[in-house]
Amino acid sequence: MYRKLRLWQIGTDLKKTFLYFSLALVLLFVWQVLGIIGWLNPVIIPSLPTVFRSFGEYFSSGELLRHIGVSMIRVLEGFGLAASLGVMLGLAIGLSRTLDRMTDLLIQILKPIPPIAWIPLAIIWFGIGEASKIFIIFIGAFYPILISVVDGIRRIDPKLIELAKILEVPRRRFIKDLVLPGILPPVMTGLRVGLGIAWMCVVAAELIAASEGVGYLIMDARQLSQPDVVIVGMFTIGVIGKLMDSFLRWLSKRVLVWNVTYQGE
Amino acid sequence: MNGDGNLVIHNLSKEFVNSQKVIQVLQDINLSINQGEFISIVGGSGCGKTTLLRIIAGLETNYQGTVTLSGKPLNGCGLDRGVVFQEHRLLPWRTVKDNIAFALNNVAPQERERIIQEHIDLVGLTGFEHAYPHQLSGGMAQRVALARALVNRPQILLLDEPFGALDALTRIQMQQEILRIWEIEKNTMILVTHDIDEAIYLGDRVVVMSSRPGTIKKILRVNLPRPRDRSNVEFAYLRREIYREFFASKDEDLVYAI
């Protein structure tokens, strides 16, 4: 066991990078090989070069970027709304026992309803414009953020609460200096989960009723029987989702320098 | 400081109700502590010594009997009483300096800087102002907790087994430190501990408590000049006296062991 560990530590950086990309590369390799030996039916699974070519075309024409831009703005609006309302309501519920008791039942019932189930009502209420999509994204991202805030407050070390009592820390400073920094680690996770769901919801909403956006691109390509474009759209969603998550991870590392966490072995 | 600063505990009893069972934690505690006195309270685990300290701190308000400070009954927590707990209870997201600042309310910025620096110097942490709690050793973290408890210049400092989690050498070092600080600050110190040596080394008086229900068994005066020598005959005699309260049958062995 020891020896193995030491071997791994030689050229760590190179090995880490290799490990990071290895599985994805293997998958691409297998895909390419299957294409060459002619095992793929291009109507069902297009070959790797076809997908790359479509990607190139859509990218250079600017069409892909336009769809990404539209979806991204929807996500940012819906997520922004969910984050601000989630944090504010979460704080209010977390800090008030009465409000917690009052809202608990409603939240528990509304939370399990999938955002997709809201789509029909959203269209009836808001039409097929921007508002209905933002509403769906909001519904999807809101609960994980809200719950991370309430749960974060419940998990603050009671010993620190006691300390604040002894030091007669005023309520405002108690919230600003103890509660807010204390819930930051779980809330950062809640935001990451929320953003992931927001991105899923935008695609779902666009699949059903939209004239632009990455979800629309996929649906449109399906109707035109272009599986390569469908894959380009899916891949784009995946990569952007990953990049947004990486950004939030980077952000939480910067904000949480004091938080020493277990990184796995 | 207002009044004489004396703390008087009169006929204090406290019980906890736990699933229909009533547990008597403290029974008929009578104790007067003078301003500037160093009191050690020693007892086994579950003897209610921490509960007693929490009552004085104002964290427990439901009890029978009276506790008065300068003649006035206690009413919840107050900045006239500082507390150092067994765990440092530092905010992990704040540096040493900001953890101490956490205790200060309504102090002008310049004054604030001065007070904080003064206390960092007092506990011997100069140079560690910007360190985070996870970068500190147990002893250093406890020094920060001590500085934080002192910034509001409390009349009484309550120490709840503050060195219990430290290694033996650091513990002795911290005991010397607390004496040094006590001589500078001249406040009342109430130390709860299960370490008999620590109780004698630090206290003007040692209050010995028995368990279930927690009562005061004995109060011993330590008439030894400071700094005290732990191998002194008088010290050993006091140690034996206290040991006898806990292990009645084994005291003869201990005489020879000393």
Side-chain angles (χ1 to χ4, degrees):
Chain A
M1 212 47 211
Y2 248 53
R3 286 198 143 192
K4 228 174 171 178
L5 268 175
R6 286 181 62 175
L7 272 174
W8 276 111
Q9 273 153 13
I10 305 165
T12 348
D13 279 2
L14 204 72
K15 274 213 165 104
K16 268 188 186 163
T17 317
F18 176 75
L19 264 183
Y20 194 70
F21 289 106
S22 56
L23 212 56
L25 286 174
V26 168
L27 199 71
L28 287 181
F29 180 75
V30 172
W31 189 357
Q32 172 71 337
V33 169
L34 288 179
I36 289 170
I37 58 177
W39 279 19
L40 296 179
N41 179 352
V43 183
I44 300 167
I45 305 178
S47 69
L48 193 54
T50 325
V51 174
F52 271 119
R53 213 174 306 123
S54 307
F55 180 79
E57 274 167 30
Y58 273 81
F59 189 80
S60 54
S61 71
E63 200 172 340
L64 185 61
L65 288 177
R66 186 171 61 85
H67 288 300
I68 290 174
V70 167
S71 299
M72 195 77 109
I73 286 170
R74 286 173 183 155
V75 165
L76 290 182
E77 285 174 342
F79 175 74
L81 202 64
S84 37
L85 273 173
V87 169
M88 280 194 297
L89 198 64
L91 277 174
I93 291 174
L95 292 169
S96 155
R97 212 173 302 167
T98 322
L99 204 60
D100 188 16
R101 187 111 187 111
M102 258 172 64
T103 53
D104 191 57
L105 179 68
L106 200 60
I107 289 172
Q108 298 305 330
I109 290 174
L110 288 176
K111 191 178 58 155
I113 302 173
I116 300 166
W118 281 95
I119 291 178
L121 263 192
I123 292 172
I124 293 170
W125 289 347
F126 304 109
I128 55 164
E130 290 308 293
S132 58
K133 276 140 211 120
I134 290 165
F135 177 74
I136 298 301
I137 296 164
F138 167 78
I139 292 283
F142 177 69
Y143 294 105
I145 297 170
L146 176 81
I147 282 157
S148 73
V149 175
V150 178
D151 225 46
I153 294 176
R154 298 279 169 271
R155 278 162 201 266
I156 292 177
D157 189 349
K159 288 176 173 168
L160 294 183
I161 309 272
E162 211 171 72
L163 175 83
K165 209 169 145 191
I166 279 178
L167 295 173
E168 300 200 305
V169 176
R171 187 76 173 164
R172 268 187 72 132
R173 225 156 57 68
F174 171 76
I175 295 172
K176 181 170 85 62
D177 293 345
L178 206 160
V179 175
L180 288 180
I183 63 173
L184 209 50
V187 170
M188 283 314 281
T189 309
L191 289 174
R192 272 175 64 194
V193 174
L195 189 57
I197 295 178
W199 192 235
M200 281 189 235
C201 288
V202 77
V203 176
E206 286 169 353
L207 285 175
I208 291 168
S211 53
E212 47 186 355
V214 186
Y216 164 77
L217 176 73
I218 293 174
M219 216 44 186
D220 193 44
R222 186 194 73 86
Q223 274 152 3
L224 299 172
S225 282
Q226 295 175 309
D228 48 325
V229 181
V230 171
I231 291 175
V232 166
M234 288 169 68
F235 183 70
T236 306
I237 292 165
V239 169
I240 290 172
K242 191 253 177 299
L243 288 178
M244 289 197 303
D245 191 60
S246 300
F247 169 72
L248 276 189
R249 259 162 90 163
W250 170 83
L251 192 71
S252 52
K253 260 201 182 142
R254 299 270 327 241
V255 192
L256 304 173
V257 273
W258 50 269
N259 201 20
V260 186
T261 54
Y262 177 61
Q263 297 295 329
E265 294 177 43
Chain B
M1 285 178 204
N2 307 317
D4 55 12
N6 294 348
L7 182 82
V8 181
I9 301 166
H10 184 66
N11 287 342
L12 173 69
S13 294
K14 162 95 188 159
E15 51 198 32
F16 283 124
V17 182
N18 187 3
S19 58
Q20 279 113 41
K21 253 173 44 187
V22 178
I23 301 159
Q24 193 75 29
V25 195
L26 293 170
Q27 196 169 42
D28 277 332
I29 303 284
N30 285 289
L31 184 63
S32 293
I33 299 168
N34 298 326
Q35 162 67 34
E37 203 178 2
F38 203 130
I39 292 284
S40 303
I41 301 172
V42 63
S45 54
C47 76
K49 56 191 193 300
T50 292
T51 307
L52 179 58
L53 207 72
R54 289 173 61 87
I55 288 173
I56 301 172
L59 287 169
E60 304 279 350
T61 48
N62 188 15
Y63 52 83
Q64 293 94 51
T66 57
V67 183
T68 58
L69 177 59
S70 303
K72 274 175 258 156
L74 292 183
N75 183 19
C77 299
L79 293 179
D80 49 3
R81 283 151 287 147
V83 186
V84 179
F85 297 95
Q86 178 164 9
E87 332 79 39
H88 54 68
R89 300 199 186 185
L90 297 177
L91 306 180
W93 51 85
R94 289 189 152 218
T95 59
V96 166
K97 204 177 137 194
D98 292 342
N99 259 292
I100 299 172
F102 185 66
L104 290 170
N105 299 324
N106 305 323
V107 180
Q110 282 178 342
E111 181 73 354
R112 191 186 183 83
E113 287 293 311
R114 190 187 58 75
I115 295 174
I116 293 169
Q117 197 55 51
E118 206 177 273
H119 282 85
I120 287 177
D121 297 343
L122 178 73
V123 296
L125 280 178
T126 320
F128 288 95
E129 287 85 352
H130 302 292
Y132 282 96
H134 72 262
Q135 297 167 317
L136 302 175
S137 69
M140 286 160 87
Q142 216 43 319
R143 282 169 193 263
V144 183
L146 192 57
R148 182 181 57 194
L150 288 168
V151 279
N152 287 307
R153 308 206 123 245
Q155 270 177 289
I156 302 179
L157 189 62
L158 303 163
L159 303 153
D160 186 8
E161 300 189 37
F163 317 132
L166 304 177
D167 65 87
L169 291 176
T170 312
R171 194 181 312 154
I172 290 172
Q173 213 174 24
M174 289 299 288
Q175 288 164 0
Q176 290 164 350
E177 284 287 295
I178 203 87
L179 277 184
R180 185 178 61 79
I181 287 164
W182 177 55
E183 273 151 20
I184 297 168
E185 299 281 316
K186 297 186 174 28
N187 49 2
T188 309
M189 296 275 189
I190 305 177
L191 168 81
V192 155
T193 181
H194 55 247
D195 181 338
I196 295 171
D197 270 36
E198 181 172 279
I200 304 168
Y201 182 77
L202 294 173
D204 289 323
R205 284 188 289 161
V206 178
V207 176
V208 183
M209 287 185 69
S210 69
S211 299
R212 276 172 276 252
T215 52
I216 295 181
K217 260 191 166 176
K218 203 170 206 170
I219 300 176
L220 291 130
R221 185 164 287 282
V222 186
N223 282 318
L224 288 168
R226 291 188 177 92
R228 289 171 181 159
D229 176 2
R230 288 168 217 256
S231 55
N232 174 293
V233 180
E234 180 82 5
F235 199 107
Y237 172 77
L238 282 165
R239 183 192 289 133
R240 190 187 138 213
E241 281 279 305
I242 298 170
Y243 260 109
R244 189 146 55 181
E245 296 298 333
F246 294 113
F247 312 103
S249 60
K250 289 186 189 164
D251 66 315
E252 285 311 309
D253 295 348
L254 284 158
V255 178
Y256 299 112
I258 294 157

